[in-house]
Amino acid sequence: ITNDTNKEKFVLVIEDSCDHAQSLLILLQLQGYRVECEADGRSGLNRVQAALPDLVMLDVTMPEMNGADVGKAIRGSKATADIPILIQTGLPEWQVREWFSDYDAYLQKPFDVSKMLDVVADLLAGKAAAVA
C-alpha cells in the first residue's frame, strides 16, 4: 500500500553496500518516496548540497568520505543543517557517537524493515523518531 502523501518526499540513501542500497531503494519506493542512492560519502554530500533531500539515510563506514564527516558537513552548512539524518550502520551507537552525534535517528544493521519504515515516516513528518 503506497501513501500518496509520500510522493513529494525525497530520501537520499548514502550507502556503499550495493545490495543494501538496492534493498532500501525498493522498500522506500514501495512506500511512495522518491529515492536516490549514492555509493560513497563524497558523492553523497555533493548530492545533498545540490538536491536538498527531505531525509538522508547515512551509512558510517564508507569510502571517499565517512558518514561522520558527511553528517558534520551537512550540519555545518546553513542550507542543509535542518535536513534529518538517519544513521544506519553495523556499528554500535556508542561508537558512532564518538565520531558524530548530531543525527536524528539511529538504526543498527541488520534492522527490522517495518521499524525502519516507521522511523523514516516519523522523521519526514517532522516528529522525533525513537532512536533504535
Side-chain angles (χ1 to χ4, degrees):
I1 301 170
T2 60
N3 182 340
D4 288 337
T5 60
N6 294 345
K7 290 226 185 300
E8 287 82 51
K9 299 295 184 181
F10 171 33
V11 178
L12 179 63
V13 176
I14 306 175
E15 166 66 61
D16 65 322
S17 163
C18 191
D19 289 344
H20 189 70
Q22 196 62 34
S23 298
L24 289 172
L25 179 78
I26 292 165
L27 290 166
L28 293 166
Q29 284 178 335
L30 286 171
Q31 295 300 308
Y33 300 117
R34 187 165 69 88
V35 187
E36 291 180 18
C37 296
E38 292 292 344
D40 67 75
R42 189 163 315 287
S43 60
L45 179 58
N46 290 340
R47 191 69 189 128
V48 169
Q49 293 165 337
L52 301 176
D54 296 297
L55 173 65
V56 173
M57 291 186 71
L58 184 59
D59 188 14
V60 176
T61 51
M62 292 185 293
E64 297 298 318
M65 184 180 202
N66 69 46
D69 289 339
V70 173
K72 289 173 189 171
I74 290 170
R75 290 294 183 247
S77 165
K78 196 171 182 179
T80 59
D82 294 332
I83 295 172
I85 297 173
L86 168 53
I87 296 286
Q88 41 102 34
T89 183
L91 298 173
E93 189 171 14
W94 67 264
Q95 197 171 359
V96 173
R97 284 194 175 276
E98 287 182 357
W99 300 322
F100 174 68
S101 60
D102 195 11
Y103 51 84
D104 298 277
Y106 163 90
L107 291 170
Q108 186 165 0
K109 298 176 192 171
F111 46 74
D112 179 75
V113 170
S114 61
K115 183 171 187 61
M116 180 270 296
L117 293 172
D118 287 346
V119 170
V120 167
D122 285 350
L123 290 171
L124 288 168
K127 298 178 196 160
V131 175

